[in-house]
Amino acid sequence: MTGETSHLSQGRAVDAYVALGSNLGDREAHLATAIEALRGDPEIRVEAVSRLYETAPVGPPPQGPYLNGVVHLRMRLAPRALLARLLAIERAAGRTRAGPRWGARSLDLDLLFYGSLTLDEPGLCIPHPRLHERAFVLEPLCELAPRLVHPRLGTSIEDLARRVRDPQAVVAFRPHPGAPAPERTDP
């Protein structure tokens, strides 16, 4: 464990980034519910929410497209406590961990970054081990934090996003006519 660990013992607020994804049921509603659950947590402050992107699924077929986004949080929770809250929000949205890896899901919340912490423990790896390979994570993350530097790779999110950008696979979401526009909070 490195990076922010000394700040945890001092109770200093930490910035974290969480990826949001859904490809089952009312995808927008699942993401909106997750954001509201985070906003409703008295120990978490939602700093910004990216726009949503429609993306091709990664995993076994058949699956429908995902809606993906990223939320920037600020809190004093320890990484495991934050992870526990993310998992509880997933369960409340009907997410189960049964089934194939990378299968379809109602809600997926992945902890991408927790300050500059690097951590490798069973069930929790920070930064997320595959975020640098995934355009569907990097595009919305770049919208919120382009100059954030990946603590393991020493490269900015903007540079990582540029390397994997695929405008045909990660498309800004356009809701159906009459549907409310996806929420966006500028940093």
Side-chain angles (χ1 to χ4, degrees), residues 76-90:
R76 289 181 170 82
L77 293 172
R80 284 266 176 208
L82 176 58
L83 178 63
R85 295 196 187 178
L86 298 176
L87 294 174
I89 293 168
E90 285 182 350

Side-chain angles (χ1 to χ4, degrees), residues 161-174:
R162 191 177 304 118
R163 292 177 191 175
V164 298
R165 188 163 281 140
D166 183 349
Q168 294 179 339
V170 180
V171 178
F173 180 64
R174 308 235 189 295

Side-chain angles (χ1 to χ4, degrees), residues 79-187:
R80 284 266 176 208
L82 176 58
L83 178 63
R85 295 196 187 178
L86 298 176
L87 294 174
I89 293 168
E90 285 182 350
R91 283 190 303 275
R95 168 82 188 268
T96 63
R97 299 266 170 193
R101 186 173 186 189
W102 297 317
R105 58 203 78 162
S106 55
L107 183 62
D108 188 28
L109 301 175
D110 288 331
L111 179 54
L112 303 174
F113 289 107
Y114 182 93
S116 60
L117 179 69
T118 59
L119 179 68
D120 285 302
E121 294 180 355
L124 183 58
C125 183
I126 303 171
H128 189 284
R130 290 171 298 283
L131 79 90
H132 63 284
E133 302 167 347
R134 296 180 168 173
F136 65 86
V137 170
L138 288 167
E139 207 60 46
L141 181 58
C142 187
E143 185 181 313
L144 299 182
R147 288 180 287 288
L148 180 68
V149 174
H150 191 296
R152 290 187 193 271
L153 303 176
T155 305
S156 74
I157 297 306
E158 185 173 44
D159 287 341
L160 292 172
R162 191 177 304 118
R163 292 177 191 175
V164 298
R165 188 163 281 140
D166 183 349
Q168 294 179 339
V170 180
V171 178
F173 180 64
R174 308 235 189 295
H176 298 292
E183 179 176 336
R184 180 179 175 161
T185 306
D186 292 320

